[in-house]
């Protein structure tokens, strides 16, 4: 059977292309970000914390000293915001470095709102 002028359509079929294949409301959800937190303790030397912030978070000495003092005084500070994978790597690097130097320094990550 041949298609006639009523049967053939060059318009998108409503229940297929327009509603399924074509995303009319584009999803813009981005992957979540994670805050990396440094926690205060009574034993880790201040200079060691400054070194950690310089080495793993690319801070200048002045920035690192500032953030270290914030953690020392307030108990905790966000030292960076990263993708899940990068945050995990940073936490691992800090925890490993602290353990190897036998300091009790704690670093954790937390999903950003
Ligand atoms: N409170 C430590 C001290 O007095 C210094 C310190 C700062 C430790 C920041 C941990 O995340 C930290 N030696």
């Amino acid at each position: 059977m041949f298609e006639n002028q009523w049967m053939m359509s060059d318009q998108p079929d409503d229940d297929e292309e327009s509603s399924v294949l074509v995303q009319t409301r584009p999803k813009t959800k981005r992957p979540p970000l994670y805050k990396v937190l440094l926690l205060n303790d009574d034993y880790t030397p201040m200079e060691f914390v400054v070194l950690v912030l310089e080495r793993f978070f690319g801070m200048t000495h002045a920035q690192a000293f500032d953030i270290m003092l914030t953690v020392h005084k307030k108990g905790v500070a966000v030292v960076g915001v990263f993708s899940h994978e990068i945050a995990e790597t940073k936490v691992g690097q800090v925890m490993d470095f602290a353990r190897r130097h036998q300091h009790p320094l704690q670093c954790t990550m937390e999903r950003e709102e």
Side-chain angles (χ1 to χ4, degrees), residues 38-47 49-50 53 67-73 75-77 104-106:
L38 205 58
L39 278 61
N40 188 38
D41 67 73
D42 293 338
Y43 305 103
T44 304
M46 290 185 172
E47 319 83 73
V49 178
V50 171
L53 293 172
I67 301 292
M68 180 281 295
L69 268 192
T70 299
V71 178
H72 177 70
K73 288 191 267 193
V76 63
L105 182 63
Q106 293 294 306

Side-chain angles (χ1 to χ4, degrees), residues 13 15 21 26 30 32 39 45 49 54 61 64 66-67 71 81-82 85 87-88 92 96 107 109 111:
D13 194 62
D15 66 338
L21 299 178
R30 283 144 300 185
L39 278 61
V49 178
E54 290 171 337
H61 190 78
D66 247 43
I67 301 292
V71 178
V81 178
F82 307 97
E85 188 177 4
E88 261 185 351
D96 188 55
C107 185
M109 59 193 274
R111 197 182 150 144

